[in-house]
Amino acid sequence: MSEIFGINPSDAGLGALLTLVILLILTGRLIPRRTHEDAIADRDNWRTAFLESEAARKVEHEQVEELLEMAKLGGHILAALPRPRQADEEEVSDRDRMDQAPRARP
């Protein structure tokens, strides 16, 4: 058999095997099956949430596009309306305006 770090694996006993397993657990390269399954389930939950979020974002994007088109149309309509001239505003005098508050009789 081949040697690893100058040690023949067949010569290593139970102590070396136990030390190797403990080192793998401490470095995080060997994890329990339940921990691995939890990590996979968590990943799947995040993936599902992401897909739902993207679907909602797509619907929102489509609605915003429709609203922008309607806003552009409203802007064009407002721009096409005739604008009052300043001469029209100056022609109205204070006497011609209707008083909103009732006058008190003397």
Side-chain angles (χ1 to χ4, degrees):
M1 243 189 210
S2 64
E3 292 183 2
I4 300 174
F5 299 115
I7 300 174
N8 192 353
S10 62
D11 292 340
L14 182 61
L17 180 61
L18 182 61
T19 303
L20 178 64
V21 169
I22 290 174
L23 284 175
L24 289 174
I25 291 173
L26 291 176
T27 59
R29 295 176 189 233
L30 184 64
I31 58 171
R33 175 181 289 187
R34 183 70 185 148
T35 304
H36 178 67
E37 290 172 353
D38 288 344
I40 289 175
D42 190 41
R43 180 199 65 189
D44 292 340
N45 289 339
W46 278 107
R47 180 177 291 156
T48 303
F50 172 75
L51 293 175
E52 289 175 6
S53 171
E54 284 299 305
R57 188 191 61 77
K58 182 179 177 183
V59 168
E60 180 183 3
H61 181 70
E62 290 170 358
Q63 289 176 349
V64 167
E65 283 182 359
E66 289 177 19
L67 290 173
L68 282 175
E69 287 299 319
M70 295 191 71
K72 287 178 185 178
L73 176 64
H76 290 302
I77 290 172
L78 287 176
L81 289 176
R83 297 183 183 195
R85 294 175 284 170
Q86 283 197 349
D88 291 341
E89 292 176 7
E90 293 172 1
E91 291 175 3
V92 177
S93 65
D94 289 337
R95 290 181 305 187
D96 296 336
R97 294 180 192 234
M98 295 183 65
D99 192 11
Q100 298 295 325
R103 293 186 184 183
R105 295 186 182 185

